[in-house]
C-alpha cells in the first residue's frame, strides 16, 4: 500500500505542477495581450490627436459642440493617455448618464470616442478607430470635471471654438 500511496502523491504533484505551469503561461499571455492592446490605443491617440494637423471636435451632454484649441486638445490627450492615474479594464461603477463624445482627425488617421462619468472616481473612456475598439476606466486627477473643463467653450486655459 505504501508504494501505491506514493504513486498517487507523485501523480498529484505532477498534475499540480502542470496546472501551475499552464496557469502561469496563460496569465503571462493575458498580460502581454492587455499591454499590446493598450499600446495600440496609445498609438492611435497619438496619430489622431497630436501634431499640427490634428483637429478634435467635442460634443457635451447638452449638445454643445466645440473644436478644441491646441492647449485643450493636449489636456484632453493627457487625460486619455492616463498620464497620472490608474487604468483598469473594468470598474465596479455605474454610469451617471453624463458624457462627452469626441472625434479626432489628423493626416495620420481619425478616431471617435466617448468619456463617460461614473458614480465612482473612475471615468469610462472608449475609442474606436480603423475597426478596432478600446474601453478603459481611468482615475485621472479630479476625474470627469477636468474633462468637462478642457472641452467646455471656455476651455482649459484658452477658449475653444464653438460650432
Amino acid at each position: 500500500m505504501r508504494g501505491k500511496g506514493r504513486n498517487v502523491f507523485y501523480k498529484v504533484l505532477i498534475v499540480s505542477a502542470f496546472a501551475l505551469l499552464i496557469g502561469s503561461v496563460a496569465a503571462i499571455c493575458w498580460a502581454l495581450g492587455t499591454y499590446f492592446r493598450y499600446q495600440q490605443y496609445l498609438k492611435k491617440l497619438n496619430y489622431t490627436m497630436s501634431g499640427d494637423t490634428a483637429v478634435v471636435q467635442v460634443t457635451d451632454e447638452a449638445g454643445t459642440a466645440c473644436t478644441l484649441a491646441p492647449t485643450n486638445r493636449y489636456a484632453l490627450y493627457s487625460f486619455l493617455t492616463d498620464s497620472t492615474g490608474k487604468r483598469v479594464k473594468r470598474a465596479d461603477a455605474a454610469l451617471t448618464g453624463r458624457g462627452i463624445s469626441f472625434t479626432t482627425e489628423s493626416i495620420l488617421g481619425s478616431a471617435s470616442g466617448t468619456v463617460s462619468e461614473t458614480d465612482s472616481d473612475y471615468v469610462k473612456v472608449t475609442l474606436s478607430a480603423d475597426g478596432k475598439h478600446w474601453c478603459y476606466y481611468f482615475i485621472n486627477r479630479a476625474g470627469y470635471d477636468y474633462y468637462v473643463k478642457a472641452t467646455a467653450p471656455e476651455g482649459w486655459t484658452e477658449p475653444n471654438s464653438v460650432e
Side-chain angles (χ1 to χ4, degrees):
M1 284 298 221
R2 240 177 224 259
K4 195 170 197 179
R6 250 190 206 161
N7 288 341
V8 170
F9 173 74
Y10 288 133
K11 287 179 183 178
V12 169
L13 188 63
I14 290 170
V15 168
S16 298
F18 276 122
L20 182 62
L21 178 65
I22 291 170
S24 298
V25 169
I28 289 170
C29 289
W30 176 82
L32 288 174
T34 299
Y35 176 80
F36 178 72
R37 282 184 47 80
Y38 189 62
Q39 294 308 309
Q40 286 182 315
Y41 166 83
L42 293 178
K43 188 180 290 186
K44 184 49 68 174
L45 277 178
N46 187 34
Y47 283 167
T48 59
M49 292 184 75
S50 65
D52 295 334
T53 63
V55 174
V56 179
Q57 295 178 319
V58 178
T59 305
D60 66 13
E61 63 264 8
T64 305
C66 292
T67 298
L68 299 188
T71 303
N72 302 320
R73 185 183 75 217
Y74 179 75
L76 179 62
Y77 173 79
S78 71
F79 298 153
L80 295 173
T81 56
D82 189 33
S83 58
T84 63
K86 179 181 177 186
R87 168 185 56 92
V88 295
K89 292 287 284 177
R90 288 186 176 77
D92 294 330
L95 299 178
T96 64
R98 295 180 65 202
I100 298 165
S101 61
F102 63 91
T103 57
T104 70
E105 190 167 340
S106 75
I107 285 178
L108 296 173
S110 61
S112 63
T114 60
V115 177
S116 303
E117 183 186 45
T118 69
D119 63 1
S120 73
D121 291 336
Y122 284 94
V123 175
K124 180 182 179 184
V125 174
T126 61
L127 181 73
S128 297
D130 301 329
K132 295 182 181 175
H133 307 283
W134 298 271
C135 178
Y136 297 104
Y137 289 82
F138 295 106
I139 293 179
N140 226 343
R141 298 184 180 96
Y144 185 75
D145 293 338
Y146 274 17
Y147 288 90
V148 171
K149 186 176 178 182
T151 60
E154 308 82 55
W156 186 258
T157 58
E158 58 184 301
N160 293 314
S161 302
V162 179
E163 299 168 5

